[in-house]
Structure formats: C-alpha cells, structure tokens
Amino acid sequence: MSMALFKKDTIFDVDKSSALYFVKQGQLSLFEPSVRVLDAAGEFVHTDYLLGRLGTMDESGTTPRFSAQQVLRLPSELLRSQGTMLHVFLEASFFGESSAFPELQHGWQVIADTDTELLQIGVATFLCQTSIAE
C-alpha cells in the first residue's frame, strides 16, 4: 500500500483503475454519468469525455458509437454540472472496488473536491491478499 496526493478536480475512472483507494484526508464525490455511450470498439465511454461527432448507432438506434479519435477529455466542472452526485467520500472512506469486481461496474466517476491524500493498493495485490485471507 502506498500514499498518493491528488489535486482538486482529479477525476478517477474507477472501473478502469488499477487500484483501490482509501481516503486519508480530503473529500471526493461519486458521480453517475449523464450520457452513456459506447466507442467504436464497443467499450463504455465515461462522462468525463466530450464526444466530438456522432458515429454509427447500435442495433437499437439509441446508443451512439465513437472512434478513439472522436473522444476528448472534459474538465471536471462539466462532469459536476452534467452528472448526478451519488455519494461523498470523506476520511476513512474507500472507493475503486469496481476495478477489482467487474460486476460492480456502473461507469461512475469520482472527482476530488479538495486536494486529497489517499492510500492506494493495487488490484492484483488486493485480490491476492483477500484470497489468502479466505
């Protein structure tokens, strides 16, 4: 486990992260996407992305698909204004478990509301430790 400092407005893509995080100091917020789209490879595109131009539609005609070249980062302010806040993480909270357990993935994003001090453990290390504990 290691300690890491993150600046205010850092965005964590928790489903694709390689770590679980434990809040030592600071505040972070969990957001649900306001837009759910798939990229050209069928991968879920999270809400902290600006979608450049519309690609093809899926079979239902409702889910836009985008190529990697059509995806640009959005500032955290847009994610805050467009998404739905679900939870606030304070000291002694943790997040990132969806990176270890795919069945928990929802495409949610975590944003640092303040400069934040986190303890982090790699998913592989976490899974190894939990399997030893069983």
Side-chain angles (χ1 to χ4, degrees), residues 110-125:
V110 174
I111 302 175
D113 297 325
T114 64
D115 288 349
T116 306
E117 185 177 350
L118 303 176
L119 296 172
Q120 58 187 14
I121 184 170
V123 169
T125 302

Side-chain angles (χ1 to χ4, degrees), residues 2-3 10 16 26 41 55 72-73 87 90 113 120 125 134:
S2 63
M3 187 187 69
T10 298
K16 294 186 178 189
L72 301 171
R73 276 272 187 213
H87 185 74
L90 300 172
D113 297 325
Q120 58 187 14
T125 302
E134 296 178 320

